[in-house]
Amino acid sequence: MKIFCGTDIIEIDRIKSSIEENGDNFLNKIYTKKEIEYCESKKNAKYQHYSARFAAKEAVFKALSQLLADKYEVSWKDIEIVNLEDGKPIVNLLKKGYNIDYIELSLSHSRDYAVAMALVGINI
């Protein structure tokens, strides 16, 4: 098995500004309906959750890029970040055919930054 790693950190104010300046155009380009519903349910902390999901998508893309660069085009909404009932974030790859065995994801955020790390495993 081969394991690929990706990580990303983002300033929460950068995502907040993008949402405030571009509204639904930005949200609908980057996030799925489930992601938007989840983040909006967080009220005052919604920008931290949007930012964590943005960082997660970047981290997953970075981990997958070595595998997919020549075979697939991946868009923002092909990578969906949702939470299990216990709160654990998971990745749904909405485009099929990636042949990935597993993806582990870790998210965190503070007042100013959100960070994500993704580990992707594939049998080669």
Side-chain angles (χ1 to χ4, degrees):
M1 175 168 291
K2 188 149 185 175
I3 297 176
F4 299 88
C5 178
T7 188
D8 193 65
I9 186 169
I10 184 91
E11 293 173 332
I12 292 169
D13 279 346
R14 182 174 160 216
I15 296 299
K16 181 180 180 182
S17 294
S18 294
I19 293 170
E20 289 176 347
E21 291 172 17
N22 301 298
D24 288 342
N25 287 336
F26 177 79
L27 291 175
N28 292 321
K29 178 181 178 183
I30 305 297
Y31 303 99
T32 66
K33 182 179 176 182
K34 283 183 186 178
E35 291 169 325
I36 293 169
E37 288 172 357
Y38 175 82
C39 293
E40 290 296 322
S41 76
K42 297 302 178 183
K43 308 291 183 214
N44 293 336
K46 71 181 181 180
Y47 297 114
Q48 284 91 340
H49 291 273
Y50 277 121
S51 299
R53 274 148 184 73
F54 187 94
K57 290 171 183 256
E58 281 281 342
V60 169
F61 180 76
K62 288 173 182 177
L64 292 176
S65 64
Q66 296 175 49
L67 295 169
L68 305 179
D70 298 330
K71 298 177 187 175
Y72 302 98
E73 184 174 320
V74 181
S75 77
W76 288 104
K77 290 171 75 169
D78 291 338
I79 300 169
E80 181 180 60
I81 312 302
V82 296
N83 292 75
L84 298 176
E85 286 186 24
D86 65 2
K88 178 181 176 14
I90 62 167
V91 178
N92 286 335
L93 294 177
L94 300 179
K95 192 184 275 186
K96 302 301 179 200
Y98 293 128
N99 203 24
I100 307 259
D101 293 307
Y102 72 88
I103 301 177
E104 289 293 326
L105 184 64
S106 180
L107 306 178
S108 189
H109 53 78
S110 67
R111 185 172 54 100
D112 298 320
Y113 296 95
V115 64
M117 184 176 140
L119 295 175
V120 175
I122 185 166
N123 282 315
I124 296 181

